[in-house]
Amino acid sequence: MSATIKDIAKIVGVSPSTVSRVINGSAPISGEVTAKIREAMRELDYHPNARARSFATGITNTAGLVMNASNETIFSNSFFNRSVFAIEKVLQDHAYNLLIANDNGRSDSQIMDLVQGKKVDGLIIPSSSLDDRLVCFLQDAEFPFVVMGEPARRAREVPWVDVDNEQGAVEGTEELLRSGYPEVVLIADDDTTVFAGNRIKGYRKAVQQRCKEQVVMTHHRYEDLGRRLVKETGSLQNKGFLCSSNEIAFYTRKALKELGIAVPGDAGIVTFDNYPLAAYMDPPFTAIDVDTYQLGKKAAEMLMECMHGKKTVRHQLIRTKLLVRASSMKNRREGGQ
Amino acid sequence: MSATIKDIAKIVGVSPSTVSRVINGSAPISGEVTAKIREAMRELDYHPNARARSFATGITNTAGLVMNASNETIFSNSFFNRSVFAIEKVLQDHAYNLLIANDNGRSDSQIMDLVQGKKVDGLIIPSSSLDDRLVCFLQDAEFPFVVMGEPARRAREVPWVDVDNEQGAVEGTEELLRSGYPEVVLIADDDTTVFAGNRIKGYRKAVQQRCKEQVVMTHHRYEDLGRRLVKETGSLQNKGFLCSSNEIAFYTRKALKELGIAVPGDAGIVTFDNYPLAAYMDPPFTAIDVDTYQLGKKAAEMLMECMHGKKTVRHQLIRTKLLVRASSMKNRREGGQ
DNA sequence: TTGTAAGCGTTATCAA
DNA sequence: TTGATAACGCTTACAA
C-alpha cells in the first residue's frame, strides 16, 4: 500500500495534522519540521489521496462537461475538441479535473447524477441539454454551472457564453456588400435555433436599407438548391450568399457552378464556420471563424468564478473573425494560393 | 445538507449497515425492511455520496482518458470526438465515469498524478504520450491501462488497440490496381511513425510483383508537389495515388489538375481518412475510413476487462472500410451524385 | 507552532 | 437477517 499522512507523521515524529498543514500550507509550521516532513514525503514517495481529501473537505476539485451526442454535428465539428482542450487547460491551472458526461436525454439524467452523487463541484452544459427541469434543479441546489451557447429559454437568469453570431452575420454580409455584390442572400438550414435567429438578426441589421432582405431556408435538404434559390430570389447574378454552414456553402457553390455562375465574380460566397473544408474548396471560402478555444476558455473561467462564489458577468459573447479568401471577392483573381 | 445513510437508518429504525446492504444488494435483507428503506430513500431524496463510497471502497469508478494536445492534428480530427463518445458510453454502461486529462508533456506528469492521487482506476493513453518511463511506472504500480494506437516501443508487452493501417493500405492499393491504374504510388508525410510504417507495409504487400514500389514522402510540404511527383516517379499518367491523409490527397489532386491530368481517368486517388473534406472534393475522394467509434469502444472495453483483472486479448486491430467514390474510378462517369 | 480528537459517509468485519 | 464497531486518509476546530 502507498504511504499515508500517518506514515509520514510517524517517521518524522509529529502529528498527522502537522503533516497536513505542511502539505496545504494551512498553518505556519517551523522551517525545521517542514523540511523534515518534506524529506519524509520524498522518501516514502508520498502522494496525497485525492479521494480521501475530497471526502474530508466536501470538495471534489472536479468539474463536469456535458456533451450532447444526440447532436450528431458535434462530430464533424472541431468545436468540441478545441473547447475541451481549453476547458481542461483552465481547470488544470486551478488544480481541477475534468469529468465528461454524455447527456443521453433519458430522464434518469446523468447530469443530475453527477450533482446528486457529489461527483463534481460545477458543470458546463451545452444549451441543447438545458431544459426547464434541469435549470430548476440546479438553481434549487444552488449548484454552479455555465451554459455553452445562448439557451432558448431562461437566457436572462442563467450564465452562458456564446459566439457572437449576430456580429458574425453583420461582418459576413458587409464583406459581400463591400466586395460589390449589391444584394446579399442569407441561406440557413432553419430559423428555429437561437444561433440561427441571431445570424438572421445580424444579417437584417447589415442589409437594412441597403438592399432587400432575402432569407432562404434549406430545411437541411440540398438537392435542387439552385432552382430553389432562383425561385425564391430571382436571378443569382451579382448576388452575395451568406451561408450558415460549410455544407450549405458547398451546395450553393455547386448550384452556382451548374448554372454557369462564376464564384467569385458573378456571385460571392461567405460561410459561417471554418472547418478545413472551407479552405480547401475551389475557390477557397471566405469564412466567419469561431474561436472555439476561446469559447471553452471563457466557459471554464466563468465556471471557476461561479464555483468560488464570485458574482461576475453572466453572459459573454466571443467575437467571430472574418477570414477573407477568394470566394467573396468580386474580380476574379486567379493564381493566388 | 443532503440526506445520508444514517438519516435513512434513523427514520426506518435500522442500522446504517442495513441500509447500505439494501443499496448495494450486498447481503440478503427481508422484504419488509427493504421496502421501508426504499420508501425512506425516496422520501428524503437520498442519493449515495460517491466520494464517501469511493473513499470507503478504494474504488473510484472513474477511468481517465489522456489527450495529447501537443498533437495538433487531434483538432481537425473527428477521431477524438467519436472515440470519446464511444469510451464514455462503454464506461457509463459499467457505471464508470470518464475523466479527461491533457498530457502537457511536462515531467510533473498529470498522468502520474491521476494514478498517484488515486483519482482513477484505469487509463486510456494515446501512444504518442507513452514513453518508457511511463510504461515502467504503470507496470510497477500494476495499474490498468490501454494504449490507443500501436506504440513505437514495447508494443508486445503493452495492451493496445489500433486501426488496421496495413489492411487499409492493401485495400486502397488494390482498389486502384483493380480500377485499371497499373502503377500505384504511395504518398505519405513521413515514414517515422508506426502507423505510416504499417501503411507502407500494406502498400508493399499489395503491389508486390504487380508493379514497382514507388513511395514519396512530402515531409509535410505540399508546394510543388506535382513537380516532385514527376521527378520521383516519372509521368503521372495512368497512375493511382494512395494518399496518407486528406490533405495530401487534396494537394495531389490539385497538382494533377495543374498538369492537365484528369481525376479520375488519367489518374486515380484513394485517401486515408474520411473527414467531411473527402466527400466534398471534386471529384469526391474514395476513402479508407477509420471507425474511430469502434476504436474508442474497444479501448474502453479492454480497459474494463483489465480493471476487473481479466486476462484478455492484449492487442486489437479495427478493420478499415473502403468507401468507393469517384476519384478511384477509371472511366470518368460524370453526373453521378 | 504543534497536538488531540472529532468528523466526513460509506463499507466491511465480526458477532449475534 | 441484522447490528455494532472499526476503518478508509485527510482536514479542522479546539486546546495547549
Side-chain angles (χ1 to χ4, degrees):
Chain A
M1 278 317 294
S2 26
T4 75
I5 221 171
K6 280 184 194 164
D7 300 326
I8 309 289
K10 199 173 295 171
I11 287 196
V12 180
V14 296
S15 79
S17 32
T18 303
V19 179
S20 170
R21 289 191 263 254
V22 167
I23 293 170
N24 298 299
S26 50
I29 300 289
S30 73
E32 194 193 2
V33 174
T34 300
K36 276 205 264 183
I37 289 177
R38 286 260 153 71
E39 169 64 17
M41 295 199 315
R42 214 165 298 119
E43 229 164 66
L44 296 194
D45 192 30
Y46 169 80
H47 298 272
N49 182 325
R51 279 190 313 235
R53 191 187 288 206
S54 98
F55 174 55
T57 58
I59 294 169
T60 61
N61 276 284
T62 302
L65 170 64
V66 177
M67 60 178 183
N68 191 324
S70 65
N71 183 359
E72 263 289 321
T73 59
I74 198 177
F75 291 129
S76 50
N77 207 313
S78 60
F79 178 96
F80 187 66
N81 283 341
R82 285 191 178 278
S83 290
V84 170
F85 179 50
I87 291 168
E88 202 281 336
K89 180 147 180 26
V90 172
L91 294 184
Q92 193 186 325
D93 288 347
H94 291 80
Y96 269 68
N97 287 112
L98 175 61
L99 202 73
I100 300 260
N102 183 33
D103 173 27
N104 48 27
R106 290 184 310 206
S107 60
D108 56 334
S109 165
Q110 231 206 129
I111 304 179
M112 292 190 179
D113 177 60
L114 292 181
V115 177
Q116 293 168 329
K118 309 234 187 326
K119 295 176 177 175
V120 297
D121 301 330
L123 281 173
I124 296 176
I125 307 170
S127 55
S128 53
S129 287
L130 204 75
D131 55 23
D132 281 3
R133 182 160 149 270
L134 183 57
V135 172
C136 289
F137 170 76
L138 293 169
Q139 284 175 339
D140 284 356
E142 297 188 53
F143 195 84
F145 71 101
V146 169
V147 178
M148 289 224 352
E150 182 182 338
R153 304 175 40 115
R154 297 170 172 270
R156 293 237 59 85
E157 40 174 319
V158 147
W160 52 262
V161 295
D162 201 354
V163 171
D164 195 339
N165 283 295
E166 186 177 331
Q167 170 238 336
V170 167
E171 286 188 12
T173 307
E174 282 176 348
E175 160 71 8
L176 288 164
L177 291 170
R178 191 189 318 122
S179 293
Y181 300 100
E183 287 186 21
V184 175
V185 179
L186 171 64
I187 315 180
D189 283 324
D190 56 66
D191 56 3
T192 58
T193 62
V194 175
F195 79 85
N198 287 332
R199 287 175 184 186
I200 294 174
K201 203 192 287 178
Y203 163 77
R204 290 212 168 114
K205 203 158 132 189
V207 296
Q208 204 179 17
Q209 293 156 336
R210 292 202 253 179
C211 75
K212 66 169 186 285
E213 253 176 64
Q214 298 164 93
V215 177
V216 175
M217 295 298 159
T218 65
H219 304 291
H220 298 91
R221 315 219 53 178
Y222 309 119
E223 356 59 88
D224 222 23
L225 185 57
R227 215 178 48 190
R228 281 152 67 198
L229 287 174
V230 172
K231 192 172 141 204
E232 296 194 34
T233 71
S235 162
L236 307 185
Q237 273 286 349
N238 255 337
K239 282 208 169 82
F241 295 93
L242 179 64
C243 303
S244 195
S245 75
N246 284 183
E247 201 179 11
I248 294 176
F250 171 81
Y251 284 105
T252 300
R253 192 258 176 286
K254 192 176 171 201
L256 291 168
K257 192 177 200 177
E258 286 162 5
L259 293 169
I261 297 176
V263 177
D266 298 338
I269 289 179
V270 170
T271 178
F272 270 90
D273 301 337
N274 179 41
Y275 300 143
L277 192 55
Y280 287 123
M281 287 293 108
D282 178 26
F285 290 161
T286 293
I288 299 162
D289 192 24
V290 163
D291 190 343
T292 52
Y293 182 91
Q294 207 58 28
L295 195 68
K297 182 164 181 255
K298 288 290 177 207
E301 287 172 351
M302 202 181 277
L303 182 64
M304 289 303 311
E305 289 175 356
C306 286
M307 290 192 299
H308 295 119
K310 287 190 198 136
K311 291 294 166 204
T312 172
V313 186
R314 308 268 294 172
H315 309 303
Q316 278 229 347
L317 288 176
I318 311 293
R319 287 187 65 80
T320 61
K321 207 167 94 191
L322 191 72
L323 301 176
V324 178
R325 301 202 183 97
S327 72
S328 64
M329 297 176 176
K330 178 67 183 176
N331 303 310
R332 183 154 214 150
R333 304 178 217 166
E334 289 281 3
Q337 147 78 328
Chain B
M1 278 318 293
S2 26
T4 75
I5 223 171
K6 282 184 194 163
D7 299 325
I8 309 288
K10 199 172 295 172
I11 286 195
V12 180
V14 295
S15 79
S17 19
T18 303
V19 178
S20 171
R21 288 191 264 253
V22 167
I23 293 169
N24 298 298
S26 49
I29 299 289
S30 74
E32 194 194 2
V33 174
T34 300
K36 277 205 263 183
I37 289 177
R38 287 260 153 72
E39 168 63 17
M41 296 200 314
R42 214 165 298 120
E43 227 164 69
L44 296 193
D45 192 31
Y46 169 80
H47 297 271
N49 183 324
R51 281 190 312 238
R53 192 187 289 208
S54 99
F55 174 54
T57 58
I59 294 169
T60 62
N61 275 283
T62 302
L65 171 64
V66 177
M67 59 178 184
N68 193 323
S70 67
N71 183 358
E72 263 288 323
T73 59
I74 197 176
F75 290 129
S76 50
N77 208 314
S78 58
F79 178 96
F80 187 66
N81 283 340
R82 285 190 178 278
S83 290
V84 170
F85 178 51
I87 290 168
E88 202 281 335
K89 180 146 181 26
V90 172
L91 293 185
Q92 193 187 324
D93 288 347
H94 291 80
Y96 269 69
N97 288 113
L98 175 60
L99 201 75
I100 300 261
N102 184 33
D103 173 27
N104 48 26
R106 292 183 308 207
S107 60
D108 56 335
S109 164
Q110 232 208 127
I111 304 179
M112 291 191 179
D113 176 60
L114 293 181
V115 178
Q116 293 169 328
K118 309 234 188 323
K119 295 176 177 175
V120 297
D121 302 329
L123 281 173
I124 296 175
I125 307 170
S127 56
S128 52
S129 286
L130 203 75
D131 55 24
D132 280 3
R133 182 160 148 273
L134 184 56
V135 172
C136 289
F137 171 76
L138 293 169
Q139 285 176 339
D140 284 356
E142 297 188 55
F143 195 83
F145 71 102
V146 169
V147 178
M148 294 250 291
E150 182 182 337
R153 304 173 41 112
R154 296 170 172 269
R156 293 237 60 85
E157 40 175 320
V158 147
W160 51 262
V161 295
D162 200 355
V163 171
D164 195 339
N165 283 295
E166 187 177 331
Q167 171 237 339
V170 167
E171 286 188 11
T173 307
E174 282 177 346
E175 159 71 10
L176 288 164
L177 291 170
R178 192 188 317 123
S179 293
Y181 300 101
E183 287 187 20
V184 175
V185 179
L186 172 64
I187 314 180
D189 283 325
D190 56 66
D191 57 2
T192 58
T193 62
V194 175
F195 79 85
N198 287 333
R199 289 174 183 186
I200 294 174
K201 202 192 289 178
Y203 162 78
R204 290 212 169 114
K205 203 159 130 189
V207 296
Q208 201 177 18
Q209 292 156 334
R210 291 203 254 181
C211 75
K212 67 171 187 284
E213 253 176 64
Q214 298 164 92
V215 177
V216 175
M217 296 298 159
T218 65
H219 304 290
H220 297 92
R221 315 219 54 180
Y222 308 119
E223 357 56 269
D224 224 22
L225 185 56
R227 214 178 48 193
R228 281 151 67 197
L229 286 174
V230 171
K231 192 170 142 206
E232 298 195 32
T233 71
S235 162
L236 307 185
Q237 272 287 348
N238 254 339
K239 281 209 170 80
F241 296 93
L242 179 64
C243 303
S244 194
S245 75
N246 285 181
E247 200 179 12
I248 293 176
F250 171 81
Y251 284 105
T252 300
R253 193 259 177 283
K254 192 176 171 200
L256 292 169
K257 193 177 198 176
E258 286 162 4
L259 293 169
I261 296 176
V263 177
D266 298 339
I269 289 179
V270 169
T271 178
F272 270 91
D273 301 338
N274 178 42
Y275 300 145
L277 192 54
Y280 287 123
M281 289 291 108
D282 179 26
F285 289 161
T286 292
I288 299 161
D289 191 25
V290 164
D291 190 344
T292 52
Y293 182 91
Q294 207 57 28
L295 194 68
K297 182 165 183 258
K298 289 289 178 209
E301 287 172 350
M302 202 181 277
L303 182 64
M304 288 303 312
E305 289 174 355
C306 286
M307 291 192 298
H308 295 118
K310 288 191 198 132
K311 290 293 166 207
T312 171
V313 186
R314 308 266 296 169
H315 308 303
Q316 278 229 347
L317 287 176
I318 311 293
R319 287 186 65 80
T320 61
K321 207 167 93 191
L322 191 72
L323 302 176
V324 179
R325 302 202 183 95
S327 72
S328 64
M329 297 176 175
K330 177 67 184 178
N331 303 310
R332 183 155 213 149
R333 305 179 217 166
E334 289 282 3
Q337 148 75 321

